[in-house]
């Protein structure tokens, strides 16, 4: 579970963003802008992220704030799960990334798998929709919902991409070090089970 200071900072940021979007009073605008700065200061004081970078990362949006959507492809082949090695941290994750405007979750899962692993896949069902706050992900400035889409392998051989060094299939008992900001070990174990069970329900928080 994320620390309370981060929950409070994100809530302050969301309220400030909504206030800036809908308030017409210039003095209220100034107050909401100050609340945004305070949310930045809270996060900056508890992390190693510079205040200037937080301003671009944490408070760069306008309008009513909603959670971001991270979409991950679950490709199981002969009992092994496809993972890609991220260049950013050297650890392994399900292929995926932020949802794209104009594409469905299934289309994003297929696109990311081709770009990050060199494999053509077909999305077949949603396995889970998780809220990062409810899982063992490290603290992050965004509130994120994670979509896990099961995909069937169509063609290609595993290879790295622009953001990934390698791609490979792994057995459940031979997992490499995981990039837990992207997927946790508990989630991976659950996905192994559900991907092999056609009657498994879509899990959600």
């Amino acid at each position: 579970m994320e620390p309370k200071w981060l929950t409070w900072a994100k809530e302050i940021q969301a309220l400030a963003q909504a206030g800036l979007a809908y308030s017409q009073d210039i003095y209220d605008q100034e107050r909401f802008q100050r609340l945004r700065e305070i949310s930045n200061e809270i996060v900056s004081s508890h992390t190693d992220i510079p205040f200037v970078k937080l301003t671009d990362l944490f408070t760069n949006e306008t309008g009513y704030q909603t959670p971001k959507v991270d979409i991950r492809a679950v490709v199981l082949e002969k009992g092994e799960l496809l993972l890609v090695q991220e260049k950013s941290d050297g650890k392994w994750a399900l292929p995926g990334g932020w949802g794209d405007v104009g594409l469905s979750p299934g289309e994003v899962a297929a696109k990311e798998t081709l770009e990050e692993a060199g494999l053509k896949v077909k999305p077949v069902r949603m396995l889970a929709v998780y809220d990062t706050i409810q899982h063992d992900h490290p603290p992050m400035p965004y509130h994120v919902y994670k979509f896990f889409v099961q995909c069937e392998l169509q063609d290609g051989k595993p290879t790295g991409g622009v953001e990934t060094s390698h791609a490979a299939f792994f057995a459940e008992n031979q997992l490499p070090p995981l990039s837990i900001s992207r997927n946790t070990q508990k989630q991976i174990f659950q996905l192994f089970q559900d991907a092999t069970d056609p009657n498994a329900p879509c899990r959600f928080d």
Side-chain angles (χ1 to χ4, degrees):
M1 306 295 282
E2 72 177 13
K4 276 291 186 181
W5 60 263
L6 183 55
T7 302
W8 293 329
K10 289 197 289 191
E11 185 172 357
I12 292 171
Q13 151 59 17
L15 291 171
Q17 183 171 309
L20 287 169
Y22 299 117
S23 176
Q24 300 298 315
D25 185 272
I26 186 172
Y27 298 108
D28 284 342
Q29 290 275 327
E30 291 177 352
R31 295 183 185 100
F32 287 125
Q33 183 58 44
R34 178 56 189 144
L35 283 174
R36 266 196 151 184
E37 294 171 357
I38 290 172
S39 70
N40 272 11
E41 291 168 3
I42 292 171
V43 177
S44 181
S45 68
H46 285 82
T47 68
D48 58 0
I49 305 174
F51 183 86
V52 174
K53 184 176 181 179
L54 270 175
T55 301
D56 294 332
L57 176 70
F58 193 35
T59 59
N60 65 340
E61 299 178 3
T62 58
Y64 189 83
Q65 190 172 58
T66 61
K68 286 186 170 293
V69 176
D70 177 27
I71 298 170
R72 298 282 151 181
V74 181
V75 184
L76 202 65
E77 182 72 5
K78 297 179 181 177
E80 295 185 331
L81 184 67
L82 175 67
L83 298 175
V84 295
Q85 187 176 33
E86 300 286 344
K87 288 182 178 179
S88 60
D89 62 7
K91 296 182 180 180
W92 295 76
L94 298 167
W98 297 126
D100 293 312
V101 173
L103 296 182
S104 70
E107 290 171 330
V108 172
K111 177 181 76 73
E112 292 288 337
T113 304
L114 182 60
E115 292 177 351
E116 296 188 352
L119 298 176
K120 292 183 179 180
V121 299
K122 177 184 177 182
V124 291
R125 62 170 174 156
M126 185 71 70
L127 292 178
V129 178
Y130 289 140
D131 181 347
T132 54
I133 294 176
Q134 307 296 324
H135 296 261
D136 295 328
H137 296 283
M140 57 187 71
Y142 295 126
H143 188 176
V144 180
Y145 291 164
K146 289 188 174 286
F147 288 25
F148 294 92
V149 181
Q150 184 170 8
C151 299
E152 292 180 352
L153 179 61
Q154 302 288 294
D155 191 27
K157 294 182 179 180
T159 184
V162 175
E163 298 178 349
T164 58
S165 302
H166 302 92
F169 286 90
F170 294 90
E172 187 174 1
N173 61 352
Q174 296 179 327
L175 294 177
L178 297 176
S179 180
I180 61 172
S181 64
R182 296 172 174 85
N183 38 227
T184 69
Q185 186 178 67
K186 183 177 179 180
Q187 289 167 352
I188 293 294
F189 287 159
Q190 187 65 62
L191 292 167
F192 260 107
Q193 294 181 34
D194 292 349
T196 56
D197 180 2
N199 297 314
C202 177
R203 301 181 186 277
F204 64 95
D205 293 318

